[in-house]
């Protein structure tokens, strides 16, 4: 393909070309030539800027007059405004023609050392050290997570109640801050609490939304984008997926529900054990024995005495026993608080046995 050299034919001769007469002061001539060209270029740029400014001013004035014409109700005023608009439009057209003429002159102007070496664009890049992310301790992470859950608790719970794919998608897109780990964590805690309250149906519904959030988070890690950017793609895929993908989702959901049920049972058993320990601590007698445990250890005949609260029967049963054995049972009863000894051992003034 032949090369077109025509664009180079109008280059203005350099100021330092050695084409002067020996009797002429060459450096002075070079300076004069260069200064004259710079002055011409400055005048051209000034003219160009004035034309552009006049065009913009005419445009603004035209817009103002047209708006004023629309708002006017008087016929005389309208005619005056229309005349002004016509005059301004004529001026605007003249400035437009002048701008076109200047652009044409600029294109046809010969190149010179000041224009041929002008930068097409200039860009300065300053490298900055990336800001170091603050490394948070585990306590700080927990505190931040708890603040998020406390602040957005109602919003997260509302998401947990959704059962429709489209509703869940629109809700997350409207609340992009909910697409995060803290939301998944809160939903998990909520599932455990619902199971402990024996609200199994609601727990399974919230568990479903928990798995939805976990799938979005996993997709975000795989694609290395923010979680909210994965919301549309996840819901599009889950609505149009094949049976294998849906089976995988349901299997993950069933496994999660199983873990929730086991965790809830563990927490319930632990809570019941703590309650029983507290109740036992309150029941302990003066000797540190549990009256319920001591009562269950007693021989049946002694249990009957405490059931009937019969002091005479109790004395007869103890008398019929061997002294050492009777002393052991009596001490256990006193230490557990089942028996509160009175001022005498005759039994008449002693208080009845307590169960």
């Amino acid at each position: 393909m032949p090369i077109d050299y025509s664009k180079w034919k109008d280059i203005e001769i350099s100021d330092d070309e050695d084409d002067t007469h020996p009797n002429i002061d060459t450096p002075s001539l070079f300076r004069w030539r260069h200064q004259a060209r710079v002055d011409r270029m400055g005048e051209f740029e000034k003219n160009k800027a004035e034309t552009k400014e006049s065009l913009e001013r005419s445009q603004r004035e035209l817009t103002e007059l047209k708006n004023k014409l629309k708002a006017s109700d008087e016929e005389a005023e309208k005619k005056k405004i229309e005349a002004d608009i016509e005059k301004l439009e004529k001026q605007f057209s003249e400035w437009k023609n002048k701008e076109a003429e200047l652009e044409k002159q600029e294109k046809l102007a010969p190149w010179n050392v000041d224009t041929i070496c002008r930068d097409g664009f200039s860009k300065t890049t300053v490298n900055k050290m990336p800001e170091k992310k603050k490394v948070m301790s585990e306590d700080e992470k927990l505190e931040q997570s708890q603040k998020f859950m406390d602040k957005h608790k109602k919003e997260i719970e509302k998401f947990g109640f959704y059962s429709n794919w489209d509703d869940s998608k629109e809700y997350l897109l409207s609340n992009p801050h909910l697409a995060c780990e803290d939301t998944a964590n809160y939903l998990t805690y909520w599932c455990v609490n619902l199971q402990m309250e024996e609200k199994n149906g609601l727990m399974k519904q919230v568990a479903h939304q928990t798995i939805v959030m976990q799938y979005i988070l996993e997709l975000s890690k795989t694609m290395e984008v923010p979680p909210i950017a994965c919301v549309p793609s996840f819901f599009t895929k889950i609505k149009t997926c094949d049976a294998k993908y849906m089976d995988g989702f349901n299997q993950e959901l069933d496994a999660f529900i199983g873990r929730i049920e086991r965790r809830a049972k563990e927490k319930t058993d632990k809570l019941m054990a703590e309650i029983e320990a507290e109740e036992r601590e309150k029941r302990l007698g003066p000797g540190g024995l549990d009256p319920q445990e001591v009562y269950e250890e007693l021989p049946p005949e002694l249990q009957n005495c405490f059931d009937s609260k019969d002091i005479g029967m109790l004395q007869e049963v103890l008398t019929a026993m061997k002294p050492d054995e009777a002393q052991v049972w009596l001490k256990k009863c006193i230490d557990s608080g089942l028996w509160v000894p009175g001022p005498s051992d005759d039994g008449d003034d002693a208080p009845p046995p307590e169960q």
Side-chain angles (χ1 to χ4, degrees):
M1 179 179 178
I3 300 175
D4 182 13
Y5 293 98
S6 61
K7 64 180 180 179
W8 305 103
K9 68 182 181 180
D10 293 325
I11 297 178
E12 199 169 322
I13 303 272
S14 175
D15 299 328
D16 58 357
E17 290 290 337
D18 191 13
D19 61 349
T20 60
H21 192 276
N23 295 332
I24 296 176
D25 183 15
T26 303
S28 298
L29 179 63
F30 289 165
R31 286 195 298 272
W32 176 82
R33 283 179 177 176
H34 181 264
Q35 187 60 45
R37 185 171 64 249
V38 170
D39 291 343
R40 287 198 307 273
M41 291 171 60
E43 187 67 26
F44 181 84
E45 290 298 328
K46 181 181 177 182
N47 196 5
K48 186 178 175 182
E50 290 176 352
T51 303
K52 183 179 179 181
E53 184 181 351
S54 299
L55 263 175
E56 293 174 351
R57 185 173 61 252
S58 298
Q59 183 67 47
R60 287 196 302 271
E61 292 175 357
L62 269 174
T63 303
E64 291 173 2
L65 284 175
K66 287 178 180 179
N67 292 335
K68 190 176 180 181
L69 180 63
K70 291 179 181 178
S72 177
D73 295 329
E74 298 181 5
E75 197 64 33
E77 185 179 7
K78 281 186 176 183
K79 288 183 178 180
K80 183 178 181 304
I81 294 173
E82 288 173 352
D84 292 340
I85 290 175
E86 184 178 356
K87 183 179 178 181
L88 267 176
E89 285 179 341
K90 184 177 179 181
Q91 290 178 359
F92 182 80
S93 178
E94 290 174 356
W95 286 118
K96 199 73 176 172
N97 292 335
K98 186 174 181 180
E99 183 185 46
E101 183 63 27
L102 288 172
E103 289 177 355
K104 184 178 178 181
Q105 290 178 17
E106 187 175 26
K107 290 180 180 179
L108 296 176
W111 290 2
N112 57 65
V113 69
D114 294 312
T115 57
I116 200 170
C117 298
R118 184 183 299 169
D119 289 343
F121 64 90
S122 179
K123 179 180 179 182
T124 303
T125 303
V126 179
N127 292 330
K128 293 183 179 180
M129 290 295 291
E131 295 182 3
K132 292 183 178 180
K133 292 185 178 180
K134 181 183 176 182
V135 179
M136 300 176 66
S137 65
E138 289 300 321
D139 291 339
E140 289 174 332
K141 290 179 181 178
L142 287 173
E143 183 181 357
Q144 186 181 38
S145 180
Q146 189 60 50
K147 286 182 180 178
F148 179 88
M149 294 179 189
D150 294 340
K151 183 178 179 180
H152 302 290
K153 175 182 177 182
K154 292 184 178 180
E155 296 171 273
I156 298 173
E157 290 182 351
K158 186 175 180 180
F159 173 72
F161 286 121
Y162 282 115
S163 57
N164 182 274
W165 296 119
D166 292 331
D167 293 340
S168 299
K169 173 185 173 183
E170 293 302 321
Y171 187 73
L172 286 178
L173 292 176
S174 301
N175 301 274
H177 56 281
L178 296 183
C180 64
E181 287 279 355
D182 292 331
T183 297
N185 292 337
Y186 182 87
L187 291 172
T188 302
Y189 300 149
W190 191 20
C191 285
V192 174
N193 291 335
L194 289 172
Q195 183 63 24
M196 291 177 68
E197 296 169 6
E198 299 183 353
K199 298 178 180 178
N200 188 262
L202 181 55
M203 182 276 288
K204 290 181 178 179
Q205 166 59 37
V206 177
H208 178 275
Q209 295 300 87
T210 308
I211 297 300
V212 167
M213 184 58 63
Q214 289 179 354
Y215 261 64
I216 292 172
L217 294 173
E218 286 299 321
L219 189 60
S220 167
K221 292 177 183 177
T222 303
M223 299 177 66
E224 297 181 350
V225 295
I228 190 61
C230 301
V231 170
S233 57
F234 166 75
F235 284 102
T236 300
K237 184 172 183 179
I238 200 70
K239 287 168 63 179
T240 59
C241 66
D242 54 19
K244 185 177 180 181
Y245 186 84
M246 199 65 200
D247 288 343
F249 181 89
N250 291 329
Q251 288 174 7
E252 188 67 30
L253 175 59
D254 292 340
F256 179 74
I257 290 174
R259 293 194 296 272
I260 291 296
E261 290 173 343
R262 288 192 297 273
R263 178 59 180 155
K265 186 178 184 305
E266 290 172 0
K267 290 192 69 174
T268 301
D269 293 343
K270 182 180 179 182
L271 183 61
M272 292 301 296
E274 291 175 355
I275 293 173
E276 289 177 4
E278 290 178 5
E279 291 179 351
R280 184 179 183 279
E281 188 70 26
K282 294 176 183 178
R283 289 198 308 262
L284 295 180
L289 297 182
D290 184 354
Q292 184 175 338
E293 293 176 1
V294 171
Y295 175 80
E296 292 173 355
E297 294 176 4
L298 291 175
E301 56 270 22
L302 279 177
Q303 289 182 355
N304 292 334
C305 298
F306 283 101
D307 290 341
S308 61
K309 297 185 179 181
D310 191 332
I311 297 175
M313 183 189 299
L314 178 61
Q315 291 174 343
E316 291 176 3
V317 172
L318 291 173
T319 304
M321 290 181 176
K322 294 178 180 181
D324 293 343
E325 183 183 2
Q327 186 65 31
V328 171
W329 289 121
L330 185 59
K331 187 177 187 311
K332 284 189 174 183
C333 291
I334 293 172
D335 289 345
S336 66
L338 277 175
W339 173 265
V340 181
S344 67
D345 294 333
D346 296 336
D348 293 338
D349 298 328
E354 297 182 2
Q355 184 171 353

